[in-house]
Amino acid sequence: QITLKESGPTLVKPTQTLTLTCTFSGFSLSARGVGVGWIRQPPGKALEWLALIYWDDDKRYSPSLKSRLTITKDTSKNQVVLTMTNMDPVDTATYYCAHSVGFGELFFDYWGQGTVVTVSS
Amino acid sequence: SYVLTQPPSLSVAPGETARITCGGDKIGSKSVHWYHQKPGQAPVLVIYSDSDRPSGIPERFSGSNSGNTATLTISRVEAGDEADYYCQVWDSRATVFGGGTKLTVL
């Protein structure tokens, strides 16, 4: 059974760096073809993909946010960490991590419950 | 960057067929995935690779993709299908989601 859970601060101040952790179970991020991605959703708005890390440590980033994002994995802890620098109120959103598997045009078949992050002074 | 266009809303009566479109340049050459999301919940994959259904998704859900439009079709719509629906594709090294379609069951 695959599960993912996001954790991190619920409130950050503008200009601060956000660090979110995705802790998962039921799969290994060292298995060929596996990936974990981060997706966010501002209140009342659409989903926005942020980043994805593959089993082989290949990393993909949203072009519009690439300069602010870093994604890493700790296979031994079954965790993926996303950092986002220079937070702004427009970054207020629910942040999800999700599992993907396969090669090529991946989809997200298991999602965490999401964690709400508010950016405010 | 690649843009996916979805109608903001669609209303259908129970028992009818809902067709939710996702437009993009030559989207027929890409693999399209679909999710639904109910209020306060995480998205759920309903169709992957244009027309494949994950286990547990009813056969009422189907997908097609050709030219510049991909379509998610929900047959015999039920009240429980009311949700936001999002399409997703990969373009180069990035993936994008459509703006979402709110399906209302009358």
Side-chain angles (χ1 to χ4, degrees), chain A residues 76-93:
Chain A
S76 64
K77 292 183 179 179
N78 280 355
Q79 291 181 333
V80 171
V81 175
L82 180 76
T83 60
M84 180 180 290
T85 61
N86 194 24
M87 293 292 285
D88 182 272
V90 300
D91 297 313
T92 294

Side-chain angles (χ1 to χ4, degrees), chain B residues 8-20:
Chain B
S9 62
L10 178 67
S11 298
V12 297
E16 297 299 307
T17 297
R19 294 180 179 84
I20 300 171

Side-chain angles (χ1 to χ4, degrees), chain A residues 37-60:
Chain A
W38 285 93
I39 302 98
R40 72 178 179 181
Q41 185 173 38
K45 296 190 177 181
L47 301 171
E48 179 183 21
W49 173 72
L50 301 176
L52 187 145
I53 189 165
Y54 290 94
W55 84 101
D56 60 358
D57 211 38
D58 185 19
K59 300 166 186 177
R60 308 286 175 90

Side-chain angles (χ1 to χ4, degrees), chain B residues 48-72:
Chain B
Y48 65 94
S49 301
D50 294 342
S51 58
D52 292 332
R53 273 179 294 104
S55 60
I57 300 301
E59 291 184 7
R60 301 184 296 104
F61 287 79
S62 63
S64 62
N65 184 19
S66 178
N68 292 319
T69 305
T71 303
L72 172 69

